Amino acid sequence: MVDKELLAEKLRLLSEYITDLEEQKTISLTDLKENKLLRRYIERTLHLAVEACLDIGNHIIADLNLREPADYKDVLAVLTEAGYLPSAKLADFKKMAQFRNVIVHDYARIEPEILYAILQKNIADLRLFARAIRDSFLQQ
């Protein structure tokens, strides 16, 4: 059985990160290129948001004794296989985990254009993840 109290707290944090990111959507690419602190703030907040998704996923997988994921991308695949996330969005969810790996392992500096594109186009994926989990586990 899923620990609903823990899940609610993790979803609260995820919602906070998403709100913080959405507040930055009006910035321009030029501002992002010129403002190192803003870039780092957005990068770190994205990192925290994705980590929250993965943490939530790992808790659900462990609590429900679902198949063990092979890696971070697979956490999202396991949740999709179990019917908790929409299969049509699995590729986008996997990109979140890949982005997390790039940030954590510092494979390369994140280009401002990539951060800007994520900020403009992919925050809705985080919101969808949160809504799907909330609807599956906290709306009963």
Side-chain angles (χ1 to χ4, degrees):
M1 187 142 160
V2 173
D3 183 339
K4 290 184 179 187
E5 194 172 302
L6 177 71
L7 202 55
E9 176 58 19
K10 296 208 175 280
L11 283 169
R12 185 194 65 73
L13 286 171
L14 177 56
S15 180
E16 181 182 316
Y17 302 142
I18 292 168
T19 298
D20 291 346
L21 290 165
E22 287 174 337
E23 289 173 356
Q24 300 304 316
K25 284 182 97 168
T26 60
I27 65 164
S28 69
L29 178 56
T30 302
D31 289 340
L32 195 57
K33 286 179 176 180
E34 293 175 356
N35 189 331
K36 179 172 60 174
L37 291 176
L38 181 60
R39 270 195 321 275
R40 286 184 180 165
Y41 170 76
I42 291 170
E43 187 175 300
R44 178 64 177 150
T45 305
L46 280 167
H47 175 211
L48 291 169
V50 173
E51 287 286 355
C53 293
L54 295 170
D55 199 25
I56 289 166
N58 279 319
H59 279 290
I60 292 168
I61 290 167
D63 288 350
L64 297 180
N65 202 25
L66 300 175
R67 100 169 152 77
E68 186 173 336
D71 55 24
Y72 284 115
K73 289 185 297 188
D74 203 30
V75 168
L76 301 163
V78 172
L79 293 177
T80 301
E81 290 164 11
Y84 299 117
L85 296 176
S87 58
K89 295 297 285 180
L90 180 57
D92 293 327
F93 290 137
K94 284 184 171 184
K95 285 179 188 175
M96 290 187 328
Q98 288 172 312
F99 180 76
R100 175 249 177 233
N101 288 341
V102 170
I103 291 174
V104 169
H105 300 295
D106 197 26
Y107 293 133
R109 293 211 179 268
I110 307 296
E111 296 296 324
E113 293 82 3
I114 293 171
L115 279 178
Y116 185 78
I118 292 170
L119 194 60
Q120 298 304 315
K121 299 175 186 172
N122 300 105
I123 303 306
D125 295 336
L126 294 168
R127 179 88 51 210
L128 175 62
F129 176 94
R131 187 172 47 254
I133 297 303
R134 187 175 295 109
D135 290 351
S136 294
F137 295 99
L138 300 180
Q139 298 298 323
Q140 291 116 9

